[in-house]
Amino acid sequence: MTEPEIDYTAVFQALPGAVALLTPQLVYADVNEEWLRVLGRTREQVIGRCMPDDFADSPNHPDAPVVRNIQASLCRVAETGEPETMELQRFEPGDPGRPGAGDASYWSVTNIPVFGADGRVALLLHRVEEVTELIRARVVALTLQEAMLPPRPVGRHPVAVRYRPAIGALDVGGDWYDLVDLPGDRLGVAVGDVVGHGLSAAGVMGQLCSALSAVSRVAEGPARALEVLELYARSVAGAENTTVANAFVDWNTHDITYSSAGHLPPALLQSDGTVEFLDQATDPPLGAHPEHAPWLQATTPFTEGAFLVLYTDGLIERRHEDIDTGLARLAGSLARHQRADPETLADALLADLIPPDGVTDDTALIIVRL
């Protein structure tokens, strides 16, 4: 069978994004039509020209540092033979007369070596793609997330909260936390995790968080609040299999009453450094009960100066790792930082437990000084 003849020039022109081929000396050897459209130039103005010349006449232009960053990346790829994906690059508004030139734009940049027959880098494939709309969407999503999550109550008991989105998500997801001032010297604390990511999960999260916040103000305990929440969740598309941990803290009696809908157990760091996981009142996730029934509830005492820690699975779960390993890692971190204030403890937990390359699931964390 005869192999089809491939027109590599046509393939190059059809590549997605704006693509240029440069020599290791950063001289343009070829560019596709999208590259010319983005730069607003003709082939005659580009081919054979050295990239460092782009801002030779205007070294103080706002975009000159970006071009220098790109040049440095290309030089590294030419020297090492290793491909490189750069951090997002921000370009300032260009010619006011050009369409869409009024706002800054953001570009994804990838530099890839092309090797010759001798094994050396012969060319550099330089690809850029505009991601401005994605960045704007992330900003909008983050604003939405912040609007949905409740403010910290202003009281005499210090509280720290943290939210970290999963890598690749639009800074919005299905994890939430809730803080409710209750009659007497009491506080309602909850975290929840809706299945999925993105705006759809955030919409479900907002409904469930608001519902639980409202019912906790009138329910006689956290278990009853979860019973009512489950009844409501049955009418919310996408709410099935949501997990929730709910706790009422009472400083008059120095105890915590808690109930869980399939969620990871809250951690109680006592003032002597011991860590107890509150796992004696766990029911299935929302919607998993075959029929309506009373929920489990348990109560445990706390000592003054202790910490109550509620969190979602992004903080401790890792692929190919048993959940008990993650819980042990959390307990160890809590014990090491037992003398910290809530804000410092929250930062320490994130630093200890979240991998350097980020998490693949959203993370909500709430810490109450008891």
Side-chain angles (χ1 to χ4, degrees), residues 177-259:
Y177 59 83
D178 191 33
L179 293 159
V180 181
D181 281 316
L182 300 174
D185 195 8
R186 297 188 304 148
L187 179 70
V189 189
V191 293
D193 186 356
V194 173
V195 175
H197 301 287
L199 294 177
S200 176
V204 176
M205 173 272 287
Q207 295 179 74
L208 296 181
C209 181
S210 297
L212 181 60
S213 183
V215 73
S216 292
R217 286 170 163 81
V218 296
E220 62 270 22
R224 180 55 180 164
L226 289 182
E227 288 179 35
V228 177
L229 181 65
E230 182 179 48
L231 291 174
Y232 172 72
R234 292 177 182 177
S235 66
V236 179
E240 59 275 4
N241 294 318
T242 294
T243 66
V244 187
N246 195 22
F248 287 7
V249 181
D250 191 329
W251 276 272
N252 292 318
T253 58
H254 276 75
D255 61 33
I256 302 166
T257 304
Y258 63 93
S259 183

Side-chain angles (χ1 to χ4, degrees), residues 137-148 171:
R138 294 185 68 181
V139 172
V140 171
L142 180 57
T143 302
L144 173 64
Q145 181 84 44
E146 292 177 344
M148 286 182 170
D171 281 327

Side-chain angles (χ1 to χ4, degrees), residues 152 157-162 177 179 187 189 191 267 269 306-311 315 330 334 340-350 364-370:
R152 281 172 281 186
H157 304 293
V159 175
V161 296
R162 297 289 187 273
Y177 59 83
L179 293 159
L187 179 70
V189 189
V191 293
L269 172 62
F307 290 94
L308 177 64
V309 181
L310 282 74
Y311 52 94
L315 184 68
L330 171 60
L334 286 170
D341 60 85
E343 294 291 339
T344 303
L345 179 58
D347 291 336
L349 290 180
L350 294 179
L365 171 66
I366 182 167
I367 299 175
V368 181
R369 181 69 179 264
L370 302 175

